[in-house]
Amino acid sequence: MRNDIFRVGNQVLKSRLIVGTGKYKSFKETVQAVKISGADMVTVAVRRINILDKKKPLLTDYLDPKKIKYLPNTAGCFNSEEALRTLRLAREMGGWKMVKLEVLGDKKTLYPDMIETLKATKILVKEGFKVLVYCSDDPLLARELEFLGASAIMPLASPIGSGLGIQNKINLSIIIRNSKVPIIVDAGIGTPSDSTIAMEMGCDAVLVNSAIAKAKNPILMAESFKNSVISGRQAFLAGRMQKLFYADASSPSKGLI
Amino acid sequence: MAKIQLNGRKLELKNKHTIFALLKKYKIDGKKIAVELNGKIVNRNKYKTVYIKNLDKIEIVHFIGGG
């Protein structure tokens, strides 16, 4: 495991668990959950500053971008122009070149608009961004994203914030098999066993937000996710036993009395 | 006097303001934000030299929690 290095974009990450920073009750809770999760990269959103409330605490006061890697996202963007605008602002804020692109196509399902996503990926790659792309679990579109220069493919397990787990294992395994860039399952993970399954299947990492933030005890859940990702990765590296259709006794029959 | 829009809010600035002066007025740490002036990003090295004009639309953004 020590030699098991996770490279994505221009970064080397220690943890294969990336966590979101949304939906927590407080910044204090966010910090505690992030810390115990062991994640060294967190997703963040770009929004207008509140000019009326000058004393309102900022995320950067709690999670130091010098100590933990920020992965700016484009959550809430419904076309490529909005997404590009957001990520260019993010880059200006602190020079972030590695970003998470998500262009949404539908308010109810938050399903990605893949036409706009492909368009934005192409432009961002040209501008020198390392783009991690939230996408549908369509193997052909994933291949197209890789062709356009995406640094990582991030297929959804199920709709954002739904907690429904991996709904299409077949598609996900085809995407994993076909891809040369990291596959990070993003969205829909509901419980640690979902991320273990993703990792056992050969995903390179998982991105989790709601499943931790919305747990009754987010701190304990963050720790559980840490363990589940390590466990799944170890199982993948170890290589699982073959499935059999009939029983194969564990105790030898030789010497039976 | 300049009538401007700051983060979607209409405002009037009585004196001449640079971006730097505007940030100071609102006690905003320039290192933690990015500024967009009429749809174009203002390079952080230019906050002291870019003056705000009448009818300018300014957006100041920062990072918040997100997934």
Side-chain angles (χ1 to χ4, degrees):
Chain A
M1 285 294 283
R2 274 189 195 158
N3 301 325
D4 181 35
I5 293 164
F6 175 38
R7 262 196 198 94
V8 57
N10 53 356
Q11 304 281 342
V12 174
L13 301 179
K14 281 188 216 111
S15 174
R16 288 174 181 270
L17 172 63
I18 302 163
V19 294
T21 54
K23 294 183 175 173
Y24 285 95
K25 286 185 209 85
S26 64
F27 281 138
K28 206 179 143 198
E29 191 182 73
T30 314
V31 174
Q32 282 179 298
V34 169
K35 202 172 173 193
I36 209 152
S37 77
D40 42 3
M41 186 158 79
V42 296
T43 54
V44 292
V46 176
R47 291 290 181 273
R48 280 173 169 167
I49 202 160
N50 187 339
I51 48 167
L52 297 179
D53 189 357
K54 293 166 196 167
K55 280 182 187 158
K56 213 180 163 200
L58 304 177
L59 179 72
T60 41
D61 297 334
Y62 287 81
L63 279 175
D64 185 352
K66 284 187 191 108
K67 288 181 184 155
I68 192 146
K69 293 180 177 89
Y70 270 29
L71 182 68
N73 72 19
T74 60
C77 294
F78 281 82
N79 57 55
S80 54
E81 286 81 17
E82 288 171 9
L84 293 169
R85 183 185 181 197
T86 303
L87 293 179
R88 285 168 185 152
L89 279 163
R91 181 169 58 180
E92 180 59 29
M93 239 180 298
W96 281 275
K97 278 198 173 157
M98 197 157 96
V99 292
K100 173 185 161 181
L101 173 68
E102 63 176 289
V103 188
L104 305 172
D106 176 55
K107 284 193 172 146
K108 198 159 189 180
T109 59
L110 297 180
Y111 215 66
D113 180 330
M114 288 309 296
I115 296 165
E116 289 293 298
T117 300
L118 291 166
K119 220 195 279 180
T121 303
K122 201 174 175 181
I123 297 168
L124 288 166
V125 169
K126 225 179 239 175
E127 291 183 14
F129 284 95
K130 303 282 176 200
V131 201
L132 282 56
V133 192
Y134 164 65
C135 59
S136 60
D137 55 7
D138 182 319
L140 297 185
L141 291 172
R143 195 171 65 187
E144 186 62 20
L145 284 171
E146 186 173 345
F147 175 74
L148 290 175
S151 291
I153 313 289
M154 302 209 287
L156 48 78
S158 48
I160 293 172
S162 70
L164 290 170
I166 304 166
Q167 289 297 309
N168 197 336
K169 281 194 194 172
I170 307 291
N171 276 20
L172 186 58
S173 58
I174 296 171
I175 293 171
I176 293 166
R177 222 175 305 148
N178 288 349
S179 172
K180 286 191 185 72
V181 294
I183 303 298
I184 303 166
V185 165
D186 179 12
I189 296 282
T191 190
S193 59
D194 293 334
S195 44
T196 307
I197 292 169
M199 296 307 291
E200 281 181 1
M201 286 172 67
C203 284
D204 296 277
V206 293
L207 201 165
V208 183
N209 192 158
S210 305
I212 298 174
K214 288 287 159 195
K216 274 187 192 154
N217 182 340
I219 317 298
L220 186 58
M221 190 57 92
E223 190 172 11
S224 177
F225 264 100
K226 175 189 174 177
N227 295 331
S228 74
V229 170
I230 292 170
S231 177
R233 179 65 183 171
Q234 285 174 328
F236 171 74
L237 294 173
R240 62 154 295 151
M241 66 164 282
Q242 223 178 358
K243 284 182 184 173
L244 300 171
F245 283 97
Y246 299 101
D248 180 22
S250 301
S251 310
S253 50
K254 200 183 168 190
L256 198 67
I257 49 166
Chain B
M1 195 178 72
K3 284 184 181 176
I4 63 157
Q5 228 183 79
L6 175 59
N7 284 3
R9 239 165 223 286
K10 282 181 182 162
L11 284 177
E12 283 185 13
L13 296 174
K14 279 176 189 154
N15 308 316
K16 250 188 153 187
H17 275 75
T18 58
I19 299 283
F20 182 78
L22 186 76
L23 294 177
K24 208 172 169 193
K25 186 184 170 99
Y26 285 97
K27 296 194 170 91
I28 298 166
D29 183 348
K31 286 182 209 112
K32 293 174 180 171
I33 51 106
V35 180
E36 197 186 70
L37 177 63
N38 302 322
K40 282 189 180 156
I41 292 171
V42 183
N43 187 299
R44 58 179 63 249
N45 302 323
K46 293 185 176 158
Y47 290 168
K48 281 186 178 170
T49 52
V50 174
Y51 280 90
I52 295 163
K53 302 181 302 298
N54 197 30
L55 304 177
D56 272 351
K57 281 185 182 166
I58 301 164
E59 294 283 349
I60 304 174
V61 298
H62 67 147
F63 285 127
I64 65 152

